[in-house]
């Protein structure tokens, strides 16, 4: 057991590459403690229970700590008994009776990062060292200087010598962004924020560390100039933390004083409930006797202070096995591989599924069905497979392959060049994408169906009233009125908005279809180039590439979309429901009145909204911009026109009101 624990600790502390979850290590460590307690004659000085596990990485200079950086005892009970046992132990050590007042404690989060000691001499940071084995750590001063939260100098008169102890960590969002960058660059991804932080701190090249989003929390002191020689004087640990904060060190805002076991239990429960909302990982809370005098009275045992304990939460990483690999289709059509797992209790819940992100992530991890894996769950984040355990595969298993057809609707699955994700091409037909497709179709810059928001779409789809976009135009007043929070007036307003949306423009309709990579500008370019929807639907990739700003990725996406028979069927049904727009082939189009002109809109027009006016101008060939310059051809000004009107007058640019704009649009051409 000692050899196994030392091996695991070497992988964790020295190689920053853990092979087992923390919970498994803690269980083995607790079992060894129990064995040694039952057989004291077997206890050895080199046992993991008698020392802090760690070592100095080759290439980093060793640093002997002036005061050892010891671990603290860990309670893994998930309920109240962990705090109660600690309080009872402290009271017993201090010889207190039940009738004596409750002990004042300091309660704080237990950060899941890398312990650090910062040595200041005469107010200047001279050395930063990792915990190492508790006696000897690593000199990482060159890297710690890159962390902006750590002061390089202290206010005058703090102390000739001061060692600040704390934790280097990484926020979850910044860790996720780092892993995304690593994936995009084909680099190594990190198991968790703790190991990413540890790996960054223990680099020989500080330039690498500087590019990692590291942060720091202070929580205590090491060596310090004694009060008799001019050092600071503190009565409590809380006062010490306040002083650290006043000197420029970050201190966790959740730190608080707790009286007795009951308030420790309440703190543990409160932090556990808010754990998922924190921007960084914690794996428990720490209780400390607040009085520094009582801390000295309690003292230390071999490797732990008697006046502090860590009360851990349920493990967020556990070991399990992959039964099979399935595929889920998201609201936007993205296909995500999902590992079906032997059930395992992680982070307070039983987990049976975990995301595998994409095919390339599976290949990078060399994951196959039957593998032993480590699964991580942090707060409300979807569980994920973070690593594969070597040597656990039962026999040869073929590599997983992504399906060529969507498992929900049967449409073709496409992975665009340069992208990691596979996607379903049946956007208008696929049930998994139904709600997203409807919301996009109804958006203001698409078909502009007022009143059709996400909550109502959820109701319509969940009630079975809508299965595809054409069903919107088949809705009846009675079933609509029966929906929750939908009175008859609201239902009638929606039907009126749907009827109004039938008269639209080709660019709006194209944009509303939710074609991948086709935004408003590209939809207008397509409509301008081809003139009719049929021409766009039947165009080859070569013809699509002739459109302004349409490249190979957009051309492939468009062509694949309209090659799907069910997508074409949805379009046909929408037309049959009365959705229409003016269109004409390029050869039949009249000359555009404002071709080559630049127009700026400002103020409020009497009858036209800003979007409607912009659509009319762009349909006439104008480029509508937001700023006035010498290249501006016209400024259309309404009520409360501001600085843009003044700029136009100063530059001598023609200014039109709404009537003048409409007259210009109806003319066969426009004079500059």
């Amino acid at each position: 057991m000692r050899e196994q624990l030392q091996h695991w600790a070497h992988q964790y502390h020295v190689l920053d590459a853990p092979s087992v979850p923390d919970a498994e290590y803690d269980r083995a460590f607790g079992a060894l403690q129990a064995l040694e307690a039952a057989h004291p004659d077997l206890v050895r000085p080199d046992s993991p229970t008698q020392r802090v596990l760690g070592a100095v990485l080759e290439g980093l200079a060793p640093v002997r700590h002036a005061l050892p950086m010891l671990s603290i005892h860990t309670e893994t009970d998930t309920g109240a008994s962990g705090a109660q046992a600690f309080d009872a132990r402290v009271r017993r050590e201090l010889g207190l009776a039940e009738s004596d007042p409750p002990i004042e404690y300091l309660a704080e989060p237990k950060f899941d990062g890398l312990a650090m000691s910062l040595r200041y001499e005469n107010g200047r940071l001279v050395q930063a060292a990792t915990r190492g084995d508790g006696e000897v750590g690593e000199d990482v001063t060159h890297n710690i200087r890159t962390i902006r939260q750590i002061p390089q100098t202290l206010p005058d008169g703090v102390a000739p010598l001061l060692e600040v102890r704390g934790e280097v960590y990484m926020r979850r969002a910044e860790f996720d962004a780092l892993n995304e960058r690593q994936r995009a660059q084909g680099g190594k991804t990190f198991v968790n924020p703790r190991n990413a932080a540890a790996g960054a701190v223990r680099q020989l090249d500080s330039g690498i560390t500087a590019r990692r989003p590291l942060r720091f929390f202070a929580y205590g002191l090491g060596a310090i100039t004694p009060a008799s020689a001019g050092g600071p004087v503190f009565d409590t640990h809380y006062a010490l933390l306040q002083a650290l904060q006043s000197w420029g060190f970050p201190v966790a805002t959740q730190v608080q004083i707790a009286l007795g076991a009951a308030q420790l239990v309440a703190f543990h429960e409160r932090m556990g409930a808010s754990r998922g909302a924190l921007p960084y990982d914690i794996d428990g809370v720490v209780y400390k006797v607040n009085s520094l005098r009582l801390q000295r009275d309690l003292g230390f045992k071999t490797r732990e202070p008697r006046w502090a304990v860590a009360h851990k939460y349920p493990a967020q990483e556990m070991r399990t096995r992959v039964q099979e690999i399935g595929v889920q289709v998201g609201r936007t059509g993205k296909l995500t591989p999902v590992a079906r797992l032997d059930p395992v209790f992680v982070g307070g819940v039983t987990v049976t599924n975990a995301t595998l992100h994409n095919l390339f992530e599976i290949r990078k991890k060399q994951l196959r069905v039957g593998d032993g894996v480590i699964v991580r769950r942090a707060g409300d984040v979807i569980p994920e497979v973070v690593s594969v355990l070597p040597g656990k595969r039962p026999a040869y298993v073929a590599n997983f392959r992504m399906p060529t057809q969507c498992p929900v609707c049967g449409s073709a699955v496409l992975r665009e060049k340069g992208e990691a994700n596979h996607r379903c091409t049946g956007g208008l037909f696929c049930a998994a994408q139904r709600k997203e497709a409807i919301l996009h179709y109804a958006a203001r810059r698409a078909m502009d169906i007022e009143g059709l928001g996400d909550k109502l779409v959820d109701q319509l789809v969940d009630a079975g009233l809508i299965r595809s976009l054409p069903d919107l135009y088949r809705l009846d007043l009675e079933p609509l009125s029966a929906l929750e929070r939908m009175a008859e007036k609201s239902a009638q307003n929606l039907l009126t908005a749907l009827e109004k949306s039938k008269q639209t423009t080709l660019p709006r309709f194209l944009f509303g279809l939710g074609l991948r990579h086709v935004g408003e500008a590209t939809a207008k370019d397509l409509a301008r180039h081809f003139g009719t929807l049929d021409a766009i639907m039947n165009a080859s990739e070569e013809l699509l590439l002739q459109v302004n700003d349409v490249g190979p990725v957009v051309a492939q996406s468009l062509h694949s979309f309209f090659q799907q028979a069910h997508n074409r069927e949805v379009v046909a049904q929408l037309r049959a429901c009365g959705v229409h727009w003016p269109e004409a082939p390029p050869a039949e189009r009249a000359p555009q009145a404002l071709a080559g002109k630049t127009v700026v809109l400002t103020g409020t027009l009497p009858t036209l909204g800003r979007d409607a006016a912009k659509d009319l101008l762009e349909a006439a060939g104008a480029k509508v911009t937001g700023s006035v310059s010498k290249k501006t051809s016209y400024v259309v000004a309404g009520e409360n026109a501001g600085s843009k009107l003044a700029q136009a007058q100063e530059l001598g640019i023609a200014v039109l009101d709404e009537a003048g704009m409409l007259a210009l649009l109806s003319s066969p051409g426009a004079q500059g």
Side-chain angles (χ1 to χ4, degrees), residues 2-204:
R2 289 177 183 134
E3 289 175 357
Q4 182 66 76
L5 284 164
Q6 286 165 344
H7 174 68
W8 286 343
H10 179 79
Q11 292 175 309
Y12 185 94
H13 291 284
V14 179
L15 303 181
D16 296 321
S19 61
V20 295
D22 288 353
E24 189 161 339
Y25 179 90
D26 290 341
R27 276 199 301 270
F29 190 90
L32 179 59
Q33 281 182 315
L35 278 172
E36 291 179 341
H39 304 279
D41 56 309
L42 296 181
V43 177
R44 296 201 316 234
D46 65 345
S47 171
T49 64
Q50 305 302 305
R51 59 193 293 270
V52 180
L53 293 171
V56 176
L57 186 69
E58 186 177 349
L60 296 175
V63 173
R64 181 163 291 279
H65 299 299
L67 284 180
M69 292 185 71
L70 300 180
S71 298
I72 57 178
H73 180 73
T74 298
E75 292 284 355
T76 56
D77 180 87
T78 57
S81 61
Q84 292 166 344
F86 173 63
D87 180 59
R89 191 164 58 245
V90 170
R91 295 181 69 85
R92 187 170 59 250
E93 294 276 354
L94 292 174
L96 298 178
E98 285 188 19
S99 57
D100 288 324
I103 294 174
E104 184 176 87
Y105 294 104
L106 182 83
E108 61 189 8
K110 183 180 182 298
F111 308 109
D112 197 9
L114 182 70
M116 188 63 52
S117 180
L118 309 174
R119 184 180 177 90
Y120 291 82
E121 295 179 1
N122 298 316
R124 293 187 176 278
L125 177 63
V126 296
Q127 192 174 70
T130 62
R131 183 200 302 273
D133 64 3
E135 299 284 345
V136 178
E138 302 154 328
D139 189 336
V140 290
T141 313
H142 62 301
N143 292 330
I144 291 303
R145 290 190 188 278
T146 69
I147 303 176
R148 295 184 179 181
Q149 285 186 309
I150 293 177
Q152 300 295 307
T153 60
L154 301 180
D156 292 339
V158 168
L161 169 64
L162 181 74
E163 284 186 353
V164 176
R165 301 278 168 87
E167 201 92 356
V168 174
Y169 71 100
M170 195 178 288
R171 290 191 173 193
R172 279 197 295 269
E174 293 166 342
F175 165 76
D176 291 340
L178 171 64
N179 263 353
E180 282 300 316
R181 290 196 299 273
Q182 292 293 106
R183 288 189 191 101
Q185 296 165 9
K188 170 191 172 185
T189 55
F190 299 96
V191 174
N192 54 45
R194 187 268 170 204
N195 288 95
V201 166
R202 303 170 78 204
Q203 293 286 333
L204 298 180

Side-chain angles (χ1 to χ4, degrees), residues 324-346:
E324 62 174 327
I325 299 175
V327 174
Q328 288 181 345
V329 184
R331 288 168 63 104
T332 61
K334 175 186 170 184
L335 271 65
T336 302
V338 177
R340 313 297 184 197
L341 308 167
D342 288 344
V344 61
F345 194 71
V346 188

Side-chain angles (χ1 to χ4, degrees), residues 35 64 114 151 218 415 473 538 562 628:
L35 278 172
R64 181 163 291 279
L114 182 70
R415 182 182 69 83
Y473 298 105
N538 296 324
F562 286 122
V628 178

Side-chain angles (χ1 to χ4, degrees), residues 126 192 202 215 286 401 403 435 459 465 473 504-505 559 629:
V126 296
N192 54 45
R202 303 170 78 204
R215 296 170 181 266
V286 175
R401 296 182 182 277
K435 292 180 181 179
Q459 284 185 280
L465 296 178
Y473 298 105
T504 186
T505 65
H559 187 258
S629 70

